[in-house]
């Protein structure tokens, strides 16, 4: 799953989830028509909680 983030000035919009980055990019074209030219965007891949806990167990904790 993917999440689209659009930052425009001091506001941030989170749009999604999307099944693929292509779906997010297709929607991005439509959304940017209503945004300022300086708007910034990113497409983030969402991770499941199970994936995150597996990664934390695999990494040693250094104090």
């Amino acid at each position: 799953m993917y999440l689209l983030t659009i930052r425009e000035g001091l506001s941030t919009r989170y749009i999604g989830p999307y099944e693929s980055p292509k779906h997010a990019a297709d929607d991005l074209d439509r959304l940017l028509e209503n945004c300022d030219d300086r708007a910034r965007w990113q497409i983030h891949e969402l991770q499941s909680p199970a994936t995150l806990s597996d990664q934390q167990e695999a990494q040693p904790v250094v104090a």
Side-chain angles (χ1 to χ4, degrees):
M1 300 299 275
Y2 295 86
L3 182 70
L4 174 61
T5 304
I6 299 177
R7 290 185 184 169
E8 186 175 15
L10 297 175
S11 66
T12 303
R13 292 189 289 168
Y14 301 94
I15 303 117
Y18 296 98
E19 291 293 322
S20 71
K22 173 147 180 26
H23 289 121
D26 291 344
D27 205 19
L28 176 64
D29 292 335
R30 181 183 61 83
L31 293 167
L32 285 180
E33 292 176 359
N34 300 324
C35 294
D36 188 81
D37 291 339
R38 294 178 287 173
R40 302 286 179 237
W41 59 271
Q42 288 183 319
I43 297 174
H44 301 275
E45 182 177 10
L46 300 176
Q47 297 179 342
S48 69
T51 304
L52 291 174
S53 64
D54 291 344
Q55 288 177 355
Q56 289 174 352
E57 291 174 6
Q59 296 176 354
V61 176
V62 178

